[in-house]
């Protein structure tokens, strides 16, 4: 095997190992992203509750009264 083929083989193996390691990291997820999504969801729920509290409570009571008879 020539030096060029040996170098190419080593480069291929190194690139393959880097892809494996990078893939494992990508599977773990982006923790700050999940934290941001959770905080934004909590903020949206809180904002909806502040704006539409009376309507949500009346809908819930209406649903319970229709189920209980």
């Amino acid at each position: 095997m020539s030096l060029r083929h040996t170098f190419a083989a080593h480069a291929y193996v190194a690139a393959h190992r880097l892809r494996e390691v990078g893939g494992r990291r990508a599977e773990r997820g982006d923790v700050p992203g999940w934290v941001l999504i959770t905080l934004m969801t909590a903020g949206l729920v809180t904002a909806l509750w502040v704006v539409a509290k009376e309507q949500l409570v009346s809908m819930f009571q209406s649903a319970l009264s229709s189920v209980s008879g």
Side-chain angles (χ1 to χ4, degrees):
M1 233 169 148
S2 71
L3 184 59
R4 178 195 282 173
H5 289 200
T6 304
F7 179 75
H10 286 290
Y12 175 79
V13 170
H16 183 67
R17 286 184 184 161
L18 284 174
R19 277 192 298 258
E20 285 179 355
V21 171
R24 284 190 215 128
R25 285 189 190 145
E27 289 174 7
R28 291 186 349 195
D30 183 14
V31 175
W34 283 107
V35 171
L36 181 63
I37 289 171
T38 303
L39 290 175
M40 288 176 67
T41 303
L44 285 172
V45 168
T46 303
L48 281 173
W49 184 258
V50 168
V51 171
K53 180 179 178 181
E54 290 90 22
Q55 290 87 358
L56 291 171
V57 169
S58 68
M59 282 176 30
F60 183 71
Q61 288 174 346
S62 170
L64 283 180
S65 65
S66 69
V67 170
S68 61

